[in-house]
Amino acid sequence: MALNIDRRSLIVGAGLGLGALVLPAGRGLAQQILGAKGFTHNVASGEPGPDSMLLWTRYVPAVGDNAIRLDAEVALDRDFTRPISGGSVQTGPWRDWTAKITVDGLKPGTVYWYRFVAPDGSKSPVGRTKTLPVGDAGRFGLGVFSCSNLPYGWFNAYAHAAARSDLDLWLHVGDYIYEYGTPAATDLRVLNERTLAPGHEILAIADYRMRYACYRADPDLQRLHQMAPMVAFWDDHESSNDSWEGGAQNHQPAKEGDWNLRRAAAMQVYREWLPVSDEPWKAYPIGTLATLYRTESRLLGRTRPADIDAAYRASDSDAALKAFRDGIWHDPSATMLGSTQESWLAHAFKANARSTAWQLVGMATIIGRTVMPQDAVSWLRPDTSEKSVASFRNNARAGKLGLPMWMDRWDGYPAARSRLLEAAQQADANLVMLSGDSHNAWAYALVEDGRPAGVEFAGHAVTSQGMEGSMAADPATVAQGFIAANPELKWADTSRRGYMMIEVTPQRVTGEWLFLQTIKARSTSIAGSHRMQVERGRKVFAS
């Protein structure tokens, strides 16, 4: 049985032929989620290989809290008349009744259908998945997503992608959930139909589990997982805003306890509820076409961002900003990935750039250099808060000195950024960065030491609000202002939601940003798109 939540009711089993049970709206959302039994959240697959796949589901027995066994079945047809693989897995309350199993013996580049069978004989919904190719592959398609803040809109990007037949794999580069509590009733951007559980900021393991159960009840997200495998990794909101190894901007130890406990809870529940392995980072071979890298840049090795705020508060702020720029900002010990992962990625570039045409690096945050344009304050809405105006003004002052507007992303760690791009250059890799986090859409031609290092397709949000919420200026003016102020930035859209489609062929990688007509109602209508491409060996966007 699957959950489908809206403001009015929780529908269990809708559309699955198992008999729908509609629970009255008067019962709390959390109670409804906790009371669900059977296959509560559909199925999912991930960690694809040429001959293996990780399969996921969640099953809650009608009675008891002892371990149960689920049997996985894999077939070449959705009616399961041609079974070819399977296995058994145990689950129980210690892992919130979620179950994951890796099945082997599959063939490369092949579509498979799978399901789980419970002890009572009931069956899960049927999922579709596809293994990675080997040898010479002519084409591979990825759908890239980030930043899905449930109360702010419908997951129409997921629905649109799930209906496509030309994508082989989903890549979710972070902010799959958000940790915040229910937005203020005065926030006009919020949809009343999109109710959160729990309603408060999530801190403990039970909170994180409830929040994933709430998000994963969304029918469009369920359908996305059901139709193709996903490679996923966390950014900050899966734990807490602007997180790093030792803390987070949105974590106050005096009120919210030990950060290490919260971090551990966030990591555990992410691995329970997503079709991911426990490996912190991984490479996925896509035949001779490409190598896709899953990275970790938040909770395991990232050092604390350099504190630029002290320079803003200094009596001689300009002098303090210059000292910051020439000193602590370039600290070589500052890292996003940690030295072990940096070394792994550099060695992988050297090994794989010889055997695969493209090196596709999934990254939570943007690596392209971005400073705030000097006239950005003039773009703001008249009713912008004094705090926000001051933040834009400070970022513009920093930008005048070449300092980035976001210290939380890669250009806040310039020495580490140089090490990554130099590693790609030394390997002569055709580097394509695939990133999210900013809620807006960007395309960067990356440069290191005056030489091209690769390109970056930075994706916009599924629902999270971008900088357009603060702007009175025409979005085209804002985008052109950012492009003019940032030599690496070749294109931008600062106002629309959606997802990216990445098409990989031996000679080029094409990125397409798709913009949904709305997120305020359920609709898969597309309002527009933008395409850019990079040719093999060029390391810059084609004109």
Side-chain angles (χ1 to χ4, degrees):
M1 293 185 286
L3 297 177
N4 180 3
I5 296 173
D6 64 18
R7 180 181 59 169
R8 296 168 297 279
S9 65
L10 181 84
I11 302 174
V12 182
L16 298 179
L18 301 175
L21 173 64
V22 182
L23 300 177
R27 294 177 61 178
L29 176 60
Q31 182 181 1
Q32 295 172 25
I33 293 174
L34 289 171
K37 304 296 181 182
F39 289 102
T40 64
H41 286 82
N42 213 304
V43 294
S45 64
E47 302 296 351
D51 60 357
S52 64
M53 188 70 66
L54 184 151
L55 308 178
W56 179 98
T57 195
R58 182 173 186 265
Y59 179 85
V60 181
V63 294
D65 58 0
N66 296 321
I68 60 159
R69 191 188 86 181
L70 299 176
D71 295 322
E73 299 178 343
V74 181
L76 287 167
D77 65 313
R78 65 184 313 155
D79 294 325
F80 290 83
T81 63
R82 300 162 65 195
I84 54 89
S85 186
S88 298
V89 60
Q90 289 190 13
T91 187
W94 63 87
R95 58 173 302 110
D96 205 14
W97 300 104
T98 62
K100 294 190 291 190
I101 182 173
T102 297
V103 294
D104 290 302
L106 310 181
K107 294 182 179 180
T110 302
V111 171
Y112 290 98
W113 304 88
Y114 65 95
R115 66 189 178 191
F116 290 85
V117 182
D120 62 2
S122 63
K123 296 180 175 64
S124 74
V126 174
R128 175 189 180 277
T129 194
K130 188 177 183 180
T131 51
L132 298 180
V134 298
D136 295 334
R139 179 195 175 277
F140 195 83
L142 298 94
V144 183
F145 309 92
S146 68
C147 306
S148 313
N149 200 337
L150 186 145
Y152 288 91
W154 294 99
F155 291 163
N156 293 333
Y158 294 154
H160 186 273
R164 298 178 68 145
S165 60
D166 59 342
L167 295 173
D168 300 289
L169 179 70
W170 314 132
L171 178 66
H172 205 296
V173 298
D175 296 343
Y176 183 99
I177 66 161
Y178 278 70
E179 84 279 17
Y180 302 127
T182 299
T186 55
D187 190 340
L188 300 179
R189 301 170 298 174
V190 174
L191 297 183
N192 290 333
E193 297 91 340
R194 304 288 277 171
T195 308
L196 278 181
H200 57 79
E201 181 179 340
I202 53 177
L203 298 170
I205 192 167
D207 299 335
Y208 283 97
R209 284 172 168 171
M210 179 65 71
R211 185 62 55 85
Y212 278 96
C214 177
Y215 269 68
R216 289 295 303 273
D218 181 273
D220 296 321
L221 179 52
Q222 286 192 14
R223 185 65 173 169
L224 185 82
H225 278 296
Q226 190 178 5
M227 294 308 296
M230 178 181 286
V231 168
F233 49 87
W234 56 60
D235 189 25
D236 53 343
H237 289 292
E238 288 87 349
S239 54
S240 187
N241 183 57
D242 287 0
S243 52
W244 57 285
E245 182 183 15
Q249 176 274 331
N250 191 35
H251 182 79
Q252 294 75 44
K255 296 189 298 181
E256 296 171 337
D258 186 344
W259 165 250
N260 289 316
L261 294 178
R262 184 177 187 179
R263 181 180 69 152
M267 292 169 62
Q268 175 179 329
V269 177
Y270 184 89
R271 288 168 172 163
E272 289 173 350
W273 276 86
L274 271 291
V276 297
S277 70
D278 290 348
E279 299 159 282
W281 47 80
K282 189 173 180 178
Y284 306 85
I286 305 173
T288 60
L289 191 59
T291 303
L292 173 66
Y293 300 90
R294 170 168 60 81
T295 60
E296 196 291 318
S297 60
R298 274 292 172 192
L299 300 178
L300 301 181
R302 180 194 277 248
T303 54
R304 188 171 193 166
D307 182 12
I308 197 172
D309 291 337
Y312 292 142
R313 296 190 299 266
S315 56
D316 187 346
S317 186
D318 287 342
L321 284 170
K322 290 178 182 177
F324 176 88
R325 179 195 62 190
D326 299 335
I328 190 173
W329 182 46
H330 286 282
D331 185 349
S333 69
T335 176
M336 294 273 279
L337 304 179
S339 60
T340 301
Q341 189 179 182
E342 282 189 18
S343 176
W344 166 79
L345 191 57
H347 282 87
F349 284 161
K350 289 180 181 178
N352 297 325
R354 301 188 189 100
S355 57
T356 56
W358 299 94
Q359 307 305 299
L360 311 176
V361 180
M363 191 65 67
T365 54
I366 293 172
I367 198 169
R369 290 193 176 101
T370 317
V371 303
M372 182 72 77
Q374 292 304 292
D375 50 354
V377 175
S378 67
W379 302 335
L380 296 174
R381 294 163 45 124
D383 60 349
T384 303
S385 69
E386 292 183 8
K387 182 178 179 180
S388 292
V389 171
S391 178
F392 272 85
R393 186 174 289 116
N394 282 337
N395 282 326
R397 288 170 54 220
K400 193 173 183 179
L401 298 173
L403 286 164
M405 54 187 278
W406 292 302
M407 298 303 296
D408 183 60
R409 38 183 256 186
W410 274 91
D411 52 2
Y413 298 73
R417 178 189 190 272
S418 292
R419 292 193 296 268
L420 190 154
L421 296 181
E422 285 172 356
Q425 289 174 329
Q426 290 170 6
D428 195 24
N430 288 289
L431 177 67
V432 176
M433 303 293 298
L434 304 173
S435 60
D437 181 64
S438 76
H439 306 175
N440 295 122
W442 318 83
Y444 296 88
L446 305 171
V447 175
E448 178 57 35
D449 195 26
R451 297 180 293 123
V455 301
E456 180 172 31
F457 296 94
H460 44 324
V462 171
T463 61
S464 300
Q465 298 294 298
M467 67 175 63
E468 74 280 357
S470 302
M471 301 294 179
D474 187 312
T477 298
V478 175
Q480 287 304 313
F482 271 95
I483 293 168
N486 293 281
E488 288 190 345
L489 182 61
K490 303 305 177 184
W491 173 84
D493 180 279
T494 61
S495 64
R496 294 180 285 181
R497 311 280 79 81
Y499 71 103
M500 288 193 301
M501 158 68 184
I502 305 295
E503 182 180 66
V504 187
T505 68
Q507 293 305 316
R508 64 186 54 86
V509 172
T510 302
E512 182 178 21
W513 293 262
L514 293 122
F515 303 109
L516 275 299
Q517 195 170 78
T518 183
I519 58 170
K520 300 305 181 185
R522 292 192 72 184
S523 169
T524 55
S525 296
I526 296 293
S529 65
H530 181 79
R531 291 168 65 92
M532 296 183 73
Q533 65 182 27
V534 56
E535 296 178 359
R536 184 176 178 183
R538 296 295 304 277
K539 303 179 185 178
V540 296
F541 289 112
S543 57

